[in-house]
C-alpha cells in the first residue's frame, strides 16, 4: 500500500469474482431483480420486498417522457450532428439539470423540513399546514425554487402520481412525508394563487423520504431510469432520421403501435 | 403540421398521460418490471417471461465492475475536480467505448456471422469450427479487433459467464449463437495461441443474438446497467473523498460489508 | 518509477514551472499568441509566421455559426434543463460529430489521396481531374460520405472560403492540395450532377494539408475554435432565457448590434 | 414568426454570410486575432489593444498544466476506454469544476467585494486589509471555499502569476482589483496561518475584474484555453498508448523536447 492507497465501500473485484456490498455478483444474477441490486449498490443493503416494489415502480414511472423532453431533444440533436449512441446519451444526461429531472433531491429537502417542523409542532392537519406555509415562505425569501411541484405539460395532476401514491399505500409506506408533500402543494396554492400540483419529481421525493432512501442518490435513481428513454430516442435518431435535420421541439407526432392494454397475467 | 413535422415510434405524451409503444405508462407502473419496460421501449414489444428474466440477469451482471474500471475512474476524477453527480456520470458514460463495455454490438456481428456460415455449411461441430476460423481470419485480415473475448483482469473465465449461460439454458434460449461464441473462443486460441475466453460483452452478445435483441441497442443495454455503478462511484467520491485527490487506478481496496450470502427466499 | 510509469511528449510541470514542448510557459505568455501556442502544443514546434497567421485565420473562421447550429442548439437545450455552463458546453461539444465540424480529418484524407494520385499520374489539370474522379468513385463504392463539400445553408459558396484561400495564397502555402480540393468539387458535380461546393471543413482541410498539420488533430483545431461559440450561446441561454423553454431550431432572429465595419487600423 | 420565436444578440447567419455582433466574419478572418474575436463574441465589443494583449496572455497561461491535471487524466481515461477525440475532450471538460479551473468566477466575486468595501471605507492599505479580513470572515462563516488561492503543486507562488501581473502593469490596467487580490492573500494567511498564494484562477480573476470582463463568462475563457491541452492529451493517448491501460496519476514523466528558449524575434 502506497501513499495514494484509498478504499471504497461499494464493490470488490478479484480474479475469482465480483462482490457488490459483500454479495457475490454471480449469486445476484437471475436471483435479485435489477432495481433491487441498484438499491443494494446505492444504499448498502438489499431492499425489503415492499421497498423493492416501489423502487421498481419509480424507475418505470421515470423511464421516458416523450420526444419533446429537453434531454431527448439534446440527445437527438447530438446524434443528428454525428455523435455515437453513447455520446448522444451523454448530451441527454447533461440536460437532466435542476429544472428537468435532477430536482428530486431538492424536493426531498423541502418535504423533510415540513415533516420535521410539523412533528415538532404537534400532530394534526393544522400543524402540517402551518409547517408547509413556513417552508414555502422560507424558500421564497431565499429566492429558492421549490422543486417537485408544477409541470410544463401536465397542468392538472401528473397522471403517474396517483398510481405511485396508491402503490405506496399498498406497500404500507404511506405516512408523514406523503402528507407533507400534499401540504406543500396546498401551501404553494395559498402563497402563489396558482395550481402547482406535485409532479413526478415531487412524488418520487416523497416516497424516497418514506423509505429512507439517501437524498444524495435520489437524482441518480431518476438518471438510471431516464437514460433508458434517452438512449431509445438517440438510437431512433441514428437509425431512422437524416443527419443534420432541424429538430422541431413541438411539431412532432407519434407513429408507433396504437393504444393497447396489458394482457391480463 | 409544418415543414419540420416529424414522428417517433417510441412514446407519446399528452395532458392526460404518457404512452410507451402504445401502453399506458400508468398501467405499466408497479405491474411490469423495469427491465421489461426497457425491453418494450427498445424493441417495441413486451418480452416473453423467459426473455424478461434474461434481460434482467444481463443488466445485473453488468451493473458494476469495481472502482478500477476506467468508467468509474473517469467519473471519480471528474467529481474530484468539482463536477456534479450528473456531469461526473456523463464523463463515466463517455468512457464506455469500444474497449470498455461498448463492445457488445461488435461481438454480436462476429457471432452472427459464424452462425450464418455454419448454417450454410451444414450442421455439426466441424462446420462450426471452420466457420469460426473463417471469421477470425477475416477479422485479422481487416485488422479488426474481435470484441467480446479476453479480459484484463479475469484471465481465465469471467465468473459471470457460467451463470449467464446456465440461465440461458434454463430459459431454453440456448442454441446456435451460444455455440458460435464458444467456437470463436476456440478459433481464437488456434489462431493466436492465447487463451482469450468469452467475456461479459461476448456472453451478453451471444444471448442477445439468441433472443433476437436489436444489435444497435445492445450497447445501450449495457450502458443503462453500468451507469448505475458509475453513479454509485461518483456519489461516493463526492460524499466521502477530498477534492482534487490523486486517484490511484490500482492501489485501492474494499472497506464495505464482509462477504455474505443471500438470505434464502 | 513503478510498473505503471508512463511518459508524455507534451508538457512538464514542477514546483518551479510549466514547460510546453520544452519552452517555459512563462516565457510564452504575452510573447507568443494563443493560436501559435496551440500549434506548438499540437505539433511540437512553433509555427513559421505565415503558418501562424493561417492557424489564427482558420480558428476565427470556425468560431461560431449562429444559433441554429446543432452544437449551439444542444448546448442551449442542456442549459435550459439546468446544466452548468461547462456541462452545457460539453453537450455542444458532443454534437460536433462527423456531420458537423468533426469532418476536417476525413476531408484531409480525400484531398491527400487526390494529390498523391495526381502526382503519380504526372502533373496537369487532366491528371488532377482523373485523380479526383477516381477518389469520388472509390468513396461512393465504399458507401463513404465525402466530407468537406456542401452545406445545409450556404448552397453556393461558403462566404468564409474565398477569404481563407486568399490568405493561403498571400501566405504562399497555396499549392497542390488547394487545387486537389477544387478538383474534388468539380468531380463531385460530374458524379452527382449537384453543386456541392467546398465548405469550411473542406477549406480548412486543404490548408492544413498544405502546411503539414497532423490530420489526427485537425478536428481538434475546429473544436477549440467552436467551443467558443458554444459557450457564448450556452451563457446567453443561462443569463437571458427562461428555463425549460421550447427552443425552435429555425424560428429565431438576431437582436444584437446592427451591421458595422471594422475600424481601419 | 411563430409562438416560439426567439432572439440572440450574438451572431446572425444568412446565405450570404455570418455576422458576429454586427461584424462580417469574413472581414474578421486574418485581420483580428482569435482571442480578440472571442472577446467580441463574449462581450459584444472588440477589445482595446492593451486588453486584447491581456486576454491572449491569460489564454496562453491556462492552455495546459501537464498530464497530471484531473481534466487531462479524465480525458486520457475516456480515450483509453475507446472514446473518440471529441468525447474524450468532453470528459475532460466536465472535470473543470469548482476545484479545478472553473473557479475564476467565484474568485472574481470575492475580489470585487474586497474592492467595494475598501472603496467605501476610504482608501489606503489599512482599509484594504480590513476589507479583506471581512470578506475572509464572511466566506468562512458561510462555509464557502475562497477560490483562487492555493495550489496543490505550486506551494509557493504560481510561476505564471508574476508574468501576468507584470503584463497587467504594462497594459496599465493594474489597479484596485490586483491590490484586493493581494490583500485577500494576506488576510487568508492571517486567518488560517497558512500560505495560500494567489493561483492562476485568482490572478486571472483579478485581471478580468480590472478590464471589466463579464464574470459569468470568466470560466468560459479558461475552458476555451484549457480544452486545447485536454485535446492534446486525449490525442496522445489515442495515438500512442495501448487501450485500457492503468493510468497512474503521479508516476509519469516527460519525454518531449529538452528545455529550450524562444528565438529572439
Amino acid at each position: 500500500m502506497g501513499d495514494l492507497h484509498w478504499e471504497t465501500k461499494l464493490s470488490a473485484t478479484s480474479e475469482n469474482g465480483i462482490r457488490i456490498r459483500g454479495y457475490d455478483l454471480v449469486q445476484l444474477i437471475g436471483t435479485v431483480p435489477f432495481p433491487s441490486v441498484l438499491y443494494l449498490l446505492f444504499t448498502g443493503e438489499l431492499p425489503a420486498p415492499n421497498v423493492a416494489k416501489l423502487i421498481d415502480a419509480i424507475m418505470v414511472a421515470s423511464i421516458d417522457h416523450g420526444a419533446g423532453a429537453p434531454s431527448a431533444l439534446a440527445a437527438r440533436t447530438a446524434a443528428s450532428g454525428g455523435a455515437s449512441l453513447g455520446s448522444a446519451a451523454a448530451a441527454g444526461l447533461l440536460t437532466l439539470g435542476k429544472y428537468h429531472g435532477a430536482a428530486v433531491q431538492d424536493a426531498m429537502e423541502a418535504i423533510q423540513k415540513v415533516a420535521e417542523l410539523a412533528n415538532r409542532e404537534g400532530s394534526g392537519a393544522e400543524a402540517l399546514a402551518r409547517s408547509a406555509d413556513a417552508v414555502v415562505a422560507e424558500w421564497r425569501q431565499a429566492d429558492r425554487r421549490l422543486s417537485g411541484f408544477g409541470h410544463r405539460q401536465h397542468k392538472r395532476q401528473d397522471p403517474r402520481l396517483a398510481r405511485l401514491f396508491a402503490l405506496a399505500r399498498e406497500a404500507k409506506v404511506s405516512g408523514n412525508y406523503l402528507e407533507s408533500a400534499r401540504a406543500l402543494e396546498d401551501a404553494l396554492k395559498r402563497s402563489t394563487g396558482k395550481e402547482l400540483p406535485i409532479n413526478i419529481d415531487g412524488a418520487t421525493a416523497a416516497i424516497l423520504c418514506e423509505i429512507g432512501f439517501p437524498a444524495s442518490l435520489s437524482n441518480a435513481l431518476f438518471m438510471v431510469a431516464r437514460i433508458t428513454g434517452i438512449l431509445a430516442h438517440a438510437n431512433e435518431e441514428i437509425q431512422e432520421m437524416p443527419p443534420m435535420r432541424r429538430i422541431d421541439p413541438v411539431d412532432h407526432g407519434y407513429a408507433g403501435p396504437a393504444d393497447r392494454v396489458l394482457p391480463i397475467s
Side-chain angles (χ1 to χ4, degrees), chain A residues 40 69 128 223 250 252:
Chain A
L40 168 66
L128 203 60
M223 287 175 196
V250 175
H252 50 81

Side-chain angles (χ1 to χ4, degrees), chain A residues 157-175:
Chain A
Q157 184 173 288
D158 189 308
R160 296 163 290 186
L161 191 79
R163 179 73 180 134
L164 282 179
F165 277 15
L167 287 168
R169 281 190 301 271
E170 259 180 51
K172 310 245 185 265
V173 303
S174 166

Side-chain angles (χ1 to χ4, degrees), chain A residues 1-8:
Chain A
M1 295 207 314
D3 285 356
L4 294 179
H5 182 79
W6 58 284
E7 293 184 333
T8 176

Side-chain angles (χ1 to χ4, degrees), chain A residues 6 20 73 97 177:
Chain A
W6 58 284
I20 306 288
L73 289 168
Y177 297 107

